[in-house]
Amino acid sequence: MAVSNTVGDVLRANGVSRRGFMKFCAATASMMALPPSMVSAVAAAIETAKRPSVFWLPFQECTGCTEALTRSHSPTVENLIFDALSLDYHHTLMAASGDRAEEAMYKEMEANYGNYLLLVDGSIPTGDYEAYSCTNGHTHLSMLLHAAKGAAAIVSIGTCAAYGGIPKANPNPTQAVGVQDLIKDKPIINVPGCPPVPTVMTGVLAHYLTFGTIPELDEFGRPMAFFGQNIHDRCYRRTFYDRGLFAETFDDEGAKKGYCLFKLGCKGPVTYNACATLKWNDGVSWPVQSGHGCLGCSEPDFWDKGSFYRPLSAAYWGDAKTVGASAAAGAAAGLAAAALARGKQKKAQQQEEQA
Ligand code: SF4
Ligand code: SF4
Ligand code: F3S
C-alpha cells in the first residue's frame, strides 16, 4: 500500500508549482469559509498529509459524475488532488479488471481497514431487483455493505448515490436507494448534483485532508460550505428577477437580454449548490449562464418534483421548510415585482396615450 508519499510529494512530482498549489489552497480555504489567515495552515496540512487510501465504487450510474471530474483539457491541481489521494480502485478509471482487480481491492481494504475513504457514485438497487446492478458477479448492494464496514467515512458523489437520483425516480423500477438509506453507522457526506460541481468534490476531499474530519453538514447531509446558499441568491440574473423582468420563451427578446428564467421553470430559488459561484469547466459557465434554468439537480427527488419547464410551485417543491422560507418569499416577491412592473408599464402607456 503506497502511503509513504505525502500529498505535497505527489503534487510536486506532477509538476504543480508552489504558486499553483497556494492558489488552490486559497480557493479551498475561501470555499470552506475560512479567513485568509488560515490559507498557510490549509497549505501545510494538505502538503504534509499522508496519502489516504480511497476506493471509488461506481454503482447504478451513468458515469456522468466521473466524467465531470475528469473532463478537463489540462491537468489541474484539482485533478492532481485526486491522484494524490491514492485512488486504489475506480472501475472506470483503472486499467485492471475482473477477478484480479477485485482481489486487489479487497486486499487493500483489508490492509487499511477502518481508515480508508469510500467514494460511491450511483444508486443501489434493492429487494427483488438487487441483481440488476452488479460488478464481476457481485451485486452492488453486497459490495456497498462489505466496503462500508471498513470505511472511516463515506462520500456519496452525485444525486444518485446521495438520494437515489434518476434511477429512483417514479416508478423506480429497481427499487433504487441512496447510500444513506442503507448505511447508518458511518459518517456520510453527500455531494449531490447531477453531476456535482468538480470543485465541490475536490473541495470536500481537501477538507478531509486538511482537518481529518467531515465538514459541517446541512439537513440533507450536504457540506454547508458548498451547499449553504441557494443558486438564486448568487445568480447574476437576480437583478432582473428583482425588477420583474423575465424571459417568457427561450428565444424571445427577454431571453436575448439575459432576463431571469423563473417563468421558464428555473428551480434556482429552491436549489442549494455552488454552481453560480464556482461554475464549471474551470469557471467558464454554468446552466443558467448557458440560457437554461436550474433543474434543481442537487435536491432530493428533483426528477419527480414537477416539470423542469413549469414555474416553481410549492405543491411540487414542498412546504416552506423544504423550499426554504427565504426562497419561497423571494419567489413571491419576484412575481409581485413582475406584476408591479407590468402595472407601471401599463400606467405609463396610458399616460402617454392620454398626453
Ligand atoms: Fe449520472 Fe447524475 Fe447519477 Fe451522476 S448523479 S451518476 S451524473 S445520473
Ligand atoms: Fe437566476 Fe433562476 Fe433565480 Fe432567475 S429564478 S434569478 S434565473 S436562479
Ligand atoms: Fe444542477 Fe441547477 Fe447547478 S441544475 S448543475 S444545481 S444550476
Side-chain angles (χ1 to χ4, degrees), residues 43-345:
I46 293 180
E47 198 168 28
T48 54
K50 290 279 185 201
R51 300 172 71 197
S53 194
V54 176
F55 298 89
W56 181 315
L57 300 183
F59 292 153
Q60 186 167 235
E61 46 84 38
C62 75
T63 316
C65 291
T66 301
E67 280 283 335
L69 186 72
T70 57
R71 190 164 291 273
S72 169
H73 294 294
S74 59
T76 61
V77 177
E78 287 89 337
N79 291 141
L80 289 169
I81 281 285
F82 263 79
D83 294 341
L85 281 168
S86 174
L87 198 51
D88 295 312
Y89 193 88
H90 187 311
H91 290 166
T92 318
L93 301 179
M94 65 194 285
S97 63
D99 289 340
R100 295 186 75 171
E102 293 278 309
E103 277 165 27
M105 178 183 79
Y106 289 121
K107 214 169 131 195
E108 289 295 339
M109 280 184 180
E110 200 65 42
N112 293 281
Y113 197 86
N115 297 315
Y116 59 81
L117 199 56
L118 178 62
L119 270 52
V120 172
D121 69 323
S123 65
I124 305 99
T126 61
D128 292 344
Y129 305 93
E130 183 186 332
Y132 279 33
S133 193
C134 295
T135 298
N136 199 32
H138 304 293
T139 69
H140 287 155
L141 178 60
S142 67
M143 287 176 74
L144 173 66
L145 297 180
H146 180 91
K149 274 190 198 140
I154 303 174
V155 185
S156 294
I157 302 277
T159 304
C160 292
Y163 313 125
I166 294 173
K168 189 187 167 213
N170 218 358
N172 192 359
T174 61
Q175 289 185 18
V177 296
V179 172
Q180 66 180 14
D181 299 312
L182 298 163
I183 308 296
K184 304 289 183 190
D185 59 350
K186 295 284 174 182
I188 297 176
I189 309 168
N190 287 330
V191 186
C194 189
V197 180
T199 326
V200 172
M201 296 189 236
T202 48
V204 168
L205 295 172
H207 182 284
Y208 189 78
L209 279 177
T210 310
F211 301 110
T213 57
I214 67 168
E216 188 192 354
L217 306 176
D218 73 3
E219 61 180 317
F220 295 122
R222 305 174 291 198
M224 290 290 286
F226 302 104
F227 296 89
Q229 281 177 321
N230 72 17
I231 301 274
H232 187 60
D233 288 342
R234 291 299 179 104
C235 180
Y236 73 102
R237 297 191 191 224
R238 178 64 185 264
T239 51
F240 291 120
Y241 176 93
D242 290 339
R243 287 159 59 202
L245 296 172
F246 301 97
E248 304 282 341
T249 66
F250 283 107
D251 58 356
D252 67 4
E253 276 309 304
K256 285 175 195 153
K257 286 177 181 163
Y259 287 178
C260 170
L261 302 168
F262 182 88
K263 289 189 175 179
L264 295 173
C266 181
K267 306 297 184 289
V270 291
T271 302
Y272 290 75
N273 203 345
C275 319
T277 38
L278 297 180
K279 302 189 180 180
W280 295 73
N281 299 325
D282 288 336
V284 171
S285 187
W286 62 293
V288 168
Q289 192 175 340
S290 71
H292 196 286
C294 168
L295 305 180
C297 78
S298 55
E299 298 299 311
D301 302 325
F302 79 103
W303 199 266
D304 286 333
K305 286 183 171 173
S307 163
F308 290 156
Y309 300 103
R310 194 160 49 210
L312 263 175
S313 148
Y316 287 95
W317 282 84
D319 56 21
K321 183 171 173 280
T322 315
V323 168
S326 64
L335 290 179
L340 193 66
R342 273 197 305 275
K344 276 185 183 165
Q345 216 174 16

